[in-house]
Amino acid sequence: MGSELETFHRDASHVFTLESGSRGPCWYGQFRMHVSFRPPSRAMVDVSVFVPDDQPDPFEARFRAEVEPAALNELGRRLRSRVASDRARLVCPPEPDD
């Protein structure tokens, strides 16, 4: 994910999707993040989370934001850096000592 976001916007057809789980009955739920280029120089981030009614805390949420590709590149860089370190959390925006 970090690598994909760090290099996002190689060209106008570049899209990135991260998906975990499914809405199917044998899954606890689903997380999906889809990033696409939006001309002339923006990116659309679409995040959805679904937990079905038969689970203890069911819910469904969807978030959509238009952002600058450079912000996604920085998030990707920070994710890759965090994976390589022993720190457990990622804070955006960065804390003063981060």
Side-chain angles (χ1 to χ4, degrees):
M1 178 177 169
S3 296
E4 281 292 324
L5 292 177
E6 190 173 21
T7 61
F8 185 77
H9 188 245
R10 291 184 292 245
D11 60 57
S13 64
H14 191 186
V15 296
F16 167 70
T17 302
L18 173 68
E19 191 165 6
S20 178
S22 170
R23 289 179 173 256
C26 65
W27 290 88
Y28 174 76
Q30 179 186 44
F31 171 85
R32 184 174 190 272
M33 178 175 142
H34 180 79
V35 182
S36 59
F37 181 69
R38 186 168 205 171
S41 61
R42 304 294 280 175
M44 182 60 70
V45 178
D46 191 357
V47 176
S48 61
V49 180
F50 170 77
V51 177
D53 290 336
D54 62 347
Q55 297 300 325
D57 296 310
F59 69 93
E60 185 166 6
R62 185 171 182 189
F63 173 77
R64 179 176 253 183
E66 191 173 288
V67 300
E68 295 179 8
L72 294 174
N73 300 151
E74 178 62 15
L75 175 61
R77 185 194 67 73
R78 296 189 68 224
L79 285 170
R80 285 175 33 92
S81 172
R82 188 63 51 165
V83 168
S85 77
D86 61 352
R87 301 181 87 170
R89 62 186 194 128
L90 176 66
V91 178
C92 292
E95 293 176 338
D97 68 328
D98 204 13

